[in-house]
Amino acid sequence: MGFWKSLLLGFNSPTASAVAVAGRSLEVPDQGHGEVYTSDAATDSRIFFSTDRTLDLYELEELCSSVGWSRRPLRKVRKALQNSFLVVSMWEQRGKRRRLIGFARATSDHAFNATIWDVVVRPSSQGQGLGKALMQHTIKKLRNEDISNITLFADPHVVQFYEGLGFNPDPEGIKGMFWYPD
Amino acid sequence: MGFWKSLLLGFNSPTASAVAVAGRSLEVPDQGHGEVYTSDAATDSRIFFSTDRTLDLYELEELCSSVGWSRRPLRKVRKALQNSFLVVSMWEQRGKRRRLIGFARATSDHAFNATIWDVVVRPSSQGQGLGKALMQHTIKKLRNEDISNITLFADPHVVQFYEGLGFNPDPEGIKGMFWYPD
């Protein structure tokens, strides 16, 4: 799972980034949008997904920092979350304390197309299949909304990972393209 | 300009489509969002862009049909337009009558990323640089909204066209990927 070591997706990632907040674990305020992935009664711990987009932006940027993304203005991050069609966060909870360990979001026209951005799993949580679970959860949510065309832009080292999830690179020769100013 | 002959962009195009309405020209109800591209006083004709998203969906689907796209449910087309960040239409006006000759739209998180979909120019209007003008107008609108990462998925025969507009295929090995259900 070496390609997970520095999971970057999307071209904004190099301009994305980190707020210097050490890995915090917060009180769990609300799990109304939560969906449990794994649970261990013996250790009173579990991993769950949420689609609540009112995230602590500092915690999100600290997560992004953990995989090497650069700093993004929080004002723009907030706006991006508000205007994403889907926001999925992945949490590890021990007792009453939880920690953000993964994230993905998608833009969409709410009808035909969705594009997944900012997929990230905390390095200390990698190698356990959680990235795959995060993506499968994201795909399921998009399919539940009747989105037929799910797309993304994958860095070279994660192409194989996404292929394992059913994504095809350049199907029928279609090219992902990025505009650069002159 | 042979690559313009059947301008298809985005993977929804093969599932897109046509309503059997012959090329109509309508009274011009409102040009509040219009921006003139060319004007010819001698023939009382002009070509202009609009970002008004209250389009006649039958006319839009007739345009899409003219380049070979297949039928899309109008309910979904309406929803897609409502939830696109930007909708650009290109019109040819002669006297008081106008005709839809081009279209493009973009999804976005309103902050970092935009993805352009459904770029189309009516075959009878191709070969005059109008596709380039349509895309330049679309890029300008996105840049005016401070979107830094403008992306699209290009069919093989239009990759060269988009390269001429400043789009790079697979920059730094980044792959456009599409998900297919098992």
Side-chain angles (χ1 to χ4, degrees):
Chain A
M1 298 286 281
F3 52 82
W4 263 112
K5 281 297 171 196
S6 144
L7 178 56
L8 303 175
L9 186 151
F11 211 60
N12 59 336
S13 50
T15 63
S17 148
V19 173
V21 177
R24 299 179 297 173
S25 65
L26 302 171
E27 291 291 322
V28 181
D30 175 23
Q31 295 159 34
H33 301 262
E35 187 169 317
V36 173
Y37 174 60
T38 61
S39 182
D40 182 349
T43 59
D44 192 18
S45 67
R46 61 190 187 125
I47 290 171
F48 68 97
F49 298 110
S50 171
T51 54
D52 186 346
R53 65 187 66 205
T54 59
L55 292 170
D56 178 331
L57 299 185
Y58 289 95
E59 191 171 17
L60 175 59
E61 290 304 290
E62 183 270 325
L63 171 65
C64 295
S65 159
S66 75
V67 295
W69 295 355
S70 53
R71 180 175 173 74
R72 299 184 294 188
L74 292 191
R75 174 189 60 80
K76 290 196 78 169
V77 174
R78 183 180 298 110
K79 192 175 183 184
L81 296 192
Q82 287 168 345
N83 292 289
S84 291
F85 176 61
L86 176 67
V87 171
V88 176
S89 52
M90 184 167 60
W91 301 85
E92 182 182 64
Q93 182 169 348
R94 294 178 184 275
K96 289 187 174 178
R97 303 188 76 80
R98 71 175 185 180
R99 190 178 192 214
L100 182 65
I101 60 170
F103 180 84
R105 66 185 177 93
T107 50
S108 176
D109 57 18
H110 303 204
F112 299 109
N113 309 310
T115 309
I116 298 171
W117 305 96
D118 295 352
V119 178
V120 53
V121 173
R122 189 177 294 280
S124 58
S125 299
Q126 291 177 14
Q128 307 167 43
L130 293 177
K132 184 174 180 180
L134 171 67
M135 283 299 297
Q136 286 172 332
H137 188 77
T138 302
I139 292 167
K140 184 181 76 176
K141 291 285 181 186
L142 293 172
R143 294 288 289 172
N144 285 349
E145 297 294 331
D146 200 24
I147 302 296
S148 53
N149 189 36
I150 303 176
T151 63
L152 53 77
F153 297 97
D155 275 349
H157 61 290
V158 287
V159 167
Q160 191 182 351
F161 166 70
Y162 287 116
E163 283 181 321
L165 284 159
F167 284 87
N168 289 12
D170 299 345
E172 302 181 38
I174 294 173
K175 279 286 175 194
M177 302 187 80
F178 290 71
W179 182 81
Y180 292 98
D182 291 332
Chain B
M1 299 284 280
F3 51 83
W4 262 111
K5 280 299 171 194
S6 148
L7 178 55
L8 302 176
L9 186 149
F11 210 60
N12 59 334
S13 50
T15 62
S17 140
V19 173
V21 176
R24 300 180 297 175
S25 65
L26 302 171
E27 292 290 323
V28 180
D30 175 22
Q31 295 160 34
H33 300 261
E35 186 169 319
V36 173
Y37 174 59
T38 63
S39 182
D40 183 349
T43 59
D44 191 18
S45 67
R46 60 188 189 125
I47 290 170
F48 68 97
F49 298 109
S50 170
T51 54
D52 186 346
R53 64 188 67 207
T54 58
L55 292 171
D56 178 331
L57 298 185
Y58 289 95
E59 190 171 17
L60 175 59
E61 290 303 290
E62 183 270 324
L63 171 66
C64 295
S65 160
S66 75
V67 295
W69 295 355
S70 52
R71 179 176 174 74
R72 299 184 294 188
L74 292 191
R75 175 188 60 80
K76 289 196 79 169
V77 174
R78 182 181 298 111
K79 192 175 183 184
L81 296 192
Q82 286 168 345
N83 292 290
S84 291
F85 177 61
L86 176 67
V87 172
V88 176
S89 52
M90 184 167 62
W91 301 85
E92 182 182 63
Q93 182 169 346
R94 293 179 185 276
K96 288 187 175 179
R97 302 188 75 78
R98 71 174 184 179
R99 190 177 192 220
L100 181 64
I101 60 170
F103 180 84
R105 66 184 177 93
T107 49
S108 175
D109 57 18
H110 303 206
F112 300 109
N113 309 310
T115 309
I116 299 171
W117 305 96
D118 295 351
V119 179
V120 53
V121 173
R122 189 177 292 281
S124 58
S125 299
Q126 292 178 11
Q128 308 167 43
L130 293 177
K132 184 175 180 180
L134 172 66
M135 282 300 297
Q136 286 172 332
H137 188 78
T138 302
I139 292 166
K140 185 181 76 174
K141 291 286 180 186
L142 293 172
R143 295 288 289 171
N144 285 349
E145 297 294 330
D146 200 24
I147 302 296
S148 52
N149 189 37
I150 303 175
T151 62
L152 53 76
F153 297 97
D155 275 350
H157 61 289
V158 287
V159 167
Q160 191 182 353
F161 165 71
Y162 288 116
E163 283 182 323
L165 284 159
F167 284 87
N168 288 11
D170 299 346
E172 302 182 38
I174 293 172
K175 279 286 175 194
M177 301 186 80
F178 291 70
W179 183 81
Y180 293 99
D182 291 331

